[in-house]
Amino acid sequence: SDKFSNLQFFCRKAEELSLQQKFDHIVSFNCFHWVRPWKKTLTLFYNLLNPGGEVLMLSYPKDSLYYLPFHETSEHFPEYLDRAACATMFTALELESALRELGMTIETFESYNSTISYEDSTAMKDFTRIWLTSYIPLPEDQQEEFLDILVEKTIPYRIDKGDGKIHLPYTALFVKAIK
């Protein structure tokens, strides 16, 4: 739009971006944890930044308690395990180390712990089904089995708030790194 003529949005695989220009800000909210290969993409982001440019990110590391039942469930599908996010996602420490190795100054690197809530197991499965193939590339005929196992695997991680809902803990990372 004319109102934001200096703002550009791209909807592409991050690791496949091929741009000639440099940017002052690269923003990634709620998606960088799905990027494979993440280190290559982080280097690409660094190379696309102007000096003093910033990477701003909200992401979810694989060491978040939320993903542990997903990792455990993935083990039931060994033929897809090497392509599952548990094999390719970063931990908080890995992300911080990679930013530092690139020579970036980390201005903000904060963990935020909260819970996600579902009315019941059906709601949890419906929500997860939307992005399941981003986590593990299962054929459609195996997705329901994965979701059934996942619901069971979440039981030890649930937080009982006395309302009968499924409450699961998660960790979000807020990152601001400067080139």
Side-chain angles (χ1 to χ4, degrees), residues 43-178:
T43 300
L44 175 67
F45 285 0
Y46 177 84
N47 291 332
L48 288 171
L49 285 172
N50 286 315
E54 302 172 339
V55 170
L56 305 169
M57 184 183 301
L58 167 65
S59 196
Y60 306 93
K62 79 175 177 182
D63 47 349
S64 171
L65 286 178
Y66 182 79
Y67 286 119
L68 293 180
F70 284 86
H71 304 337
E72 293 168 7
T73 303
S74 296
E75 293 172 3
H76 291 264
F77 301 85
E79 63 274 25
Y80 299 97
L81 194 55
D82 64 331
R83 291 177 284 156
C86 59
T88 60
M89 289 172 77
F90 50 83
T91 65
L93 181 59
E94 288 170 335
L95 179 60
E96 183 178 16
S97 295
L99 289 165
R100 291 190 192 285
E101 287 171 17
L102 286 170
M104 297 194 78
T105 300
I106 298 175
E107 187 169 294
T108 304
F109 197 95
E110 297 175 1
S111 293
Y112 172 78
N113 295 310
S114 190
T115 57
I116 186 167
S117 302
Y118 307 100
E119 285 294 322
D120 54 27
S121 61
T122 300
M124 180 185 165
K125 288 166 67 173
D126 288 345
F127 173 77
T128 305
R129 190 177 287 109
I130 295 167
W131 52 267
L132 179 60
T133 56
S134 293
Y135 182 83
I136 187 167
L138 292 173
E140 195 170 323
D141 65 341
Q142 293 184 32
Q143 292 176 16
E144 201 62 34
E145 179 184 0
F146 184 97
L147 293 168
D148 289 339
I149 296 169
L150 176 65
V151 168
E152 293 302 313
K153 294 286 185 183
T154 64
I155 291 171
Y157 300 100
R158 294 180 187 180
I159 298 168
D160 184 1
K161 294 186 177 185
D163 59 4
K165 297 179 182 179
I166 297 172
H167 303 281
L168 295 172
Y170 72 87
T171 300
L173 294 177
F174 299 98
V175 179
K176 179 180 180 181
I178 303 168

